Amino acid sequence: MYVIADQGDWARWTVSALKKTGLVVLATAIAAYGALVVYAYWPAPEAVSVAALTQPGDQFVTVNDLSIRYRSYGEHVAGGPTFVLMHGFGNSLQSFRNLAPLLAEAGSVVALDLPGYGLSSIPVDYDYGNANQAATVMAVVRALGIERPIYVGHSMGGAIAVHLGVQDKTTVGLVLIDPGIFATGVPAATQFLPFPFPRISAKLFGNRDWRAQFLKQSFVDPSVVTSQVLDDLMMTARREDYWAGATAMMGSFAPGGEPALLPDVKTPVLLVFGEADRNHPDALRRQLHDALPGSTLIVIKGAGHYPHEEKAVEVAEAVKTMAKVWAGAATIGGAAVP
């Protein structure tokens, strides 16, 4: 015998099935979210004080209630410029370990950790936007008595240097190394990440294996990323105040608006790009060069996103040559060197 269900029976069955499916999906989503929270806040490795992590050559200056680590190289020449080196996102002054001593042959050099990185302060209630980072760097420059800075910025540091080119009227020149201006390399979605994703981002950057894999992708020669490089890079994540500060920083990303500032940059500019940098193809290099009339563009062969680490000699020679031109108040010709 066959039983034929009427339309009402099918409707009730369908509604019941959908409700059960919805509850399963909701329960799965809640469980997955709970797992993310547990992962994000799983006990971190034992923390270490900044004092215990401080290395020979490290110096600290306090500005605006922030402790900023820096290292000095070379001898200051009266009336001469000082190279002020600013690293990229997730890095520290260790990124200039190869470049700084070479630039010191031409004068004084100061490499610093931006707030949120290295051994500088990692405050929770700080504006980590590029404009405010630039204001902090300028405060450091004033505190150290630097009168004629040449700002050298890599990646995010290059974007910060653009703000300094507008804010600091004492600037002699800007050196932008693979700057994050038209392409930051940071996915736009990160500015909308809800809890606990900023904490997860902080945890990933605090994981040595993940950082090694992530970093090596930016080099033509990944052997440059040695164990010592990773040791120095990972000091930040070992700090006792890392987790709260880094989580706040990871949750505060916002576009810096640097493209709109480019017409206001009146100081001479040297653009340095690694030929193999995937985030900055030739079209973007030329776009930035065209947006900064009078700038000089140099592309370093055999280098990726970190030409100052892979090809420090070539980068140093280019920077020192331009610094001599700027110091002599000569006019920059706007040459593009392939």
Side-chain angles (χ1 to χ4, degrees):
M1 183 175 74
Y2 296 92
V3 178
I4 301 176
D6 61 23
Q7 291 183 345
D9 291 335
W10 281 112
R12 285 189 291 273
W13 182 87
T14 301
V15 170
S16 176
L18 288 175
K19 285 182 178 179
K20 290 180 180 179
T21 301
L23 289 173
V24 170
V25 171
L26 179 61
T28 301
I30 292 173
Y33 185 76
L36 285 174
V37 174
V38 171
Y39 169 76
Y41 285 86
W42 192 259
E46 184 179 354
V48 181
S49 69
V50 170
L53 294 169
T54 300
Q55 301 175 332
D58 286 346
Q59 301 178 75
F60 293 85
V61 61
T62 300
V63 296
N64 303 330
D65 296 324
L66 299 169
S67 175
I68 305 298
R69 178 177 72 149
Y70 70 97
R71 291 181 185 173
S72 299
Y73 305 80
E75 297 293 333
H76 180 67
V77 178
T82 296
F83 300 100
V84 179
L85 313 184
M86 299 172 293
H87 58 80
F89 183 83
N91 220 299
S92 69
L93 56 75
Q94 71 82 31
S95 185
F96 296 107
R97 64 194 179 279
N98 298 329
L99 183 64
L102 296 174
L103 293 182
E105 297 170 359
S108 59
V109 180
V110 171
L112 55 85
D113 287 338
L114 295 165
Y117 305 92
L119 298 185
S120 289
S121 293
I122 313 180
V124 173
D125 55 349
Y126 176 78
D127 176 6
Y128 286 99
N130 290 343
N132 192 55
Q133 290 280 47
T136 298
V137 172
M138 191 161 64
V140 171
V141 165
R142 298 291 183 268
L144 297 180
I146 298 172
E147 298 178 348
R148 304 187 69 216
I150 292 177
Y151 291 109
V152 181
H154 169 247
S155 196
M156 179 188 72
I160 292 171
V162 169
H163 290 270
L164 286 160
V166 176
Q167 294 180 20
D168 191 350
K169 303 307 179 183
T170 69
T171 306
V172 175
L174 304 179
V175 179
L176 311 182
I177 304 175
D178 288 83
I181 296 173
F182 292 119
T184 65
V186 180
T190 57
Q191 61 186 298
F192 306 111
L193 290 180
F195 173 88
F197 289 99
R199 173 84 177 199
I200 291 175
S201 296
K203 189 161 188 173
L204 287 175
F205 273 85
N207 181 286
R208 183 186 178 93
D209 292 337
W210 187 89
R211 287 303 307 278
Q213 182 179 6
F214 179 83
L215 188 60
K216 288 179 179 180
Q217 294 175 356
S218 298
F219 286 80
V220 171
D221 179 11
S223 68
V224 174
V225 185
T226 64
S227 293
Q228 183 60 56
V229 167
L230 288 170
D231 286 345
D232 291 342
L233 192 61
M234 298 309 299
M235 281 198 304
T236 309
R238 297 176 59 198
R239 295 175 49 164
E240 54 196 358
D241 56 354
Y242 170 76
W243 291 101
T247 299
M249 180 178 66
M250 294 293 181
S252 63
F253 170 77
E258 288 77 29
L261 290 178
L262 298 179
D264 298 325
V265 176
K266 306 305 180 184
T267 188
V269 178
L270 171 63
L271 302 173
V272 180
F273 286 93
E275 185 180 38
D277 184 352
R278 293 173 297 177
N279 288 329
H280 298 101
D282 187 66
L284 279 184
R285 300 169 197 156
R286 300 289 170 171
Q287 181 183 4
L288 183 57
H289 179 48
D290 293 342
L292 290 165
S295 62
T296 299
L297 170 63
I298 293 178
V299 179
I300 305 295
K301 296 183 181 298
H305 186 57
Y306 291 80
H308 58 295
E309 295 192 33
E310 290 192 276
K311 299 291 181 179
V313 173
E314 290 86 340
V315 174
E317 287 305 312
V319 173
K320 289 189 289 186
T321 297
M322 294 310 299
K324 289 180 182 178
V325 174
W326 299 339
T331 302
I332 305 300
V337 182

